[in-house]
Amino acid sequence: EEPSLLKKLLLAPANS
Amino acid sequence: VITKDQQAFMNVILDAYNRHQIPPDVAKKLLQEQYSAEENFLLLTEMATSQVQVLVEFTKHIPGFLSLDHEDQIALLKGSAVEASFLRSAQVFSSKMPNGHTEVLEERIRKSGISEEFMTPMFNFYKTIGELHMVEEEQALLTAITIMTPDRPYVKDQQAVERLQEPMLDVLRKLCALHHPHEPQYFARLLGRLTELRTLNHYHAEMLTSWRMNDHKFTPLLCEIWDVQ
């Protein structure tokens, strides 16, 4: 299943 | 009176709101010369994609959001992306832009293949947002409140979302009383915009179907957040 772009954005560390 | 904790809570949201904006080099393209419908459509698609990226980064800083169930996080983003993006673009559209820019932007939007029946409610919404003269804190909180709306499709734990939205509504109510003392209805007027946004969301869904009919291309991120195959 194509990896979700949204999931990737959400999992990327929130740049402080 | 806004408590110290509420002030700190609001500053977190306002700080994230200010820090996550469409990058200037992307926004600058809106003022470029080309004017064909295709170029305008491509440009607006690029803006919408950038807006979604900005929205996700902003949302990650909303207190409590990252503690929600992962699937609910996705459901909230998908459910609110269109409304939150229109709210933000309305705020940009009505903010003090160098003279002439608003007209250039409006012209570009009018000439991008978007149907008239959608543009009228959209520009009306931009006008009503402009007339409200919201302060920055109100804009940031209203955007966060739009995203943290419990009754979006596929949200499983609506109470958890409600518990996060409640404190934002409380602070917004106090802010409205503080910044608009002569307008006791101001808070209600802000919430009324959320209803108007739901209508825009409905129009947008219809517009998407018509665009898909004549095979418009969207970026992968927009396809995902708009649930377009």
Side-chain angles (χ1 to χ4, degrees):
Chain A
E1 202 238 43
E2 231 249 289
S4 152
L5 290 170
L6 263 183
K7 277 203 174 115
K8 259 193 234 141
L9 284 174
L10 275 171
L11 292 174
N15 43 46
S16 59
Chain B
V1 167
I2 295 182
T3 66
K4 248 149 89 356
D5 287 349
Q6 285 180 316
Q7 187 66 47
F9 173 78
M10 188 174 62
N11 289 342
V12 166
I13 294 173
L14 179 60
D15 179 56
Y17 187 76
N18 286 327
R19 226 162 352 93
H20 297 295
Q21 311 253 1
I22 290 186
D25 55 329
V26 176
K28 200 154 55 20
K29 292 182 185 171
L30 278 170
L31 303 169
Q32 69 183 25
E33 281 322 307
Q34 292 87 350
Y35 257 96
S36 78
E38 292 71 32
E39 272 140 2
N40 284 342
F41 181 80
L42 281 173
L43 208 50
L44 292 180
T45 302
E46 189 183 347
M47 290 302 137
T49 306
S50 178
Q51 185 81 274
V52 169
Q53 289 160 338
V54 163
L55 200 64
V56 173
E57 288 312 313
F58 168 66
T59 305
K60 284 157 75 170
H61 288 86
I62 295 176
F65 178 80
L66 289 178
S67 63
L68 292 169
D69 165 272
H70 277 294
E71 294 314 316
D72 279 358
Q73 289 180 27
I74 301 276
L76 285 175
L77 280 168
K78 280 188 165 186
S80 66
V82 170
E83 292 176 25
S85 300
F86 273 119
L87 185 55
R88 286 214 75 164
S89 47
Q91 285 148 0
V92 168
F93 201 83
S94 54
S95 64
K96 288 279 154 302
M97 281 205 274
N99 49 37
H101 286 207
T102 313
E103 290 70 23
V104 165
L105 193 52
E106 183 163 344
E107 190 56 27
R108 193 176 290 287
I109 294 172
R110 287 197 186 281
K111 272 218 212 84
S112 55
I114 296 177
S115 68
E116 191 57 37
E117 120 223 35
F118 179 68
M119 272 197 290
T120 309
M122 183 174 74
F123 282 120
N124 286 344
F125 178 71
Y126 283 2
K127 198 161 78 63
T128 50
I129 289 292
E131 284 156 0
L132 282 167
H133 302 297
M134 285 190 270
V135 298
E136 247 190 346
E137 292 85 346
E138 290 162 346
Q139 290 179 20
L141 278 167
L142 197 59
T143 306
I145 287 163
T146 305
I147 295 163
M148 303 298 279
T149 298
D151 61 350
R152 297 296 187 196
Y154 311 116
V155 171
K156 293 171 291 208
D157 189 349
Q158 292 197 355
Q159 281 72 29
V161 181
E162 217 166 299
R163 277 194 302 275
L164 295 176
Q165 191 191 48
E166 268 311 308
M168 296 197 275
L169 286 163
D170 291 342
V171 180
L172 183 59
R173 186 181 297 110
K174 289 186 179 179
L175 262 176
C176 292
L178 202 65
H179 288 290
H180 310 271
H182 310 301
E183 284 184 85
Q185 289 309 320
Y186 190 81
F187 179 63
R189 282 177 66 198
L190 285 195
L191 297 189
R193 298 289 67 72
L194 299 186
T195 316
E196 195 175 353
L197 269 173
R198 290 202 178 220
T199 317
L200 267 186
N201 197 8
H202 169 69
Y203 280 120
H204 183 269
E206 277 179 13
M207 198 178 60
L208 268 185
T209 336
S210 74
W211 274 351
R212 277 189 20 238
M213 235 85 80
N214 39 46
D215 195 19
H216 274 86
K217 284 281 164 287
F218 301 121
T219 58
L221 184 58
L222 290 180
C223 287
E224 189 178 326
I225 203 139
W226 289 344
D227 270 334
V228 171
Q229 272 60 41

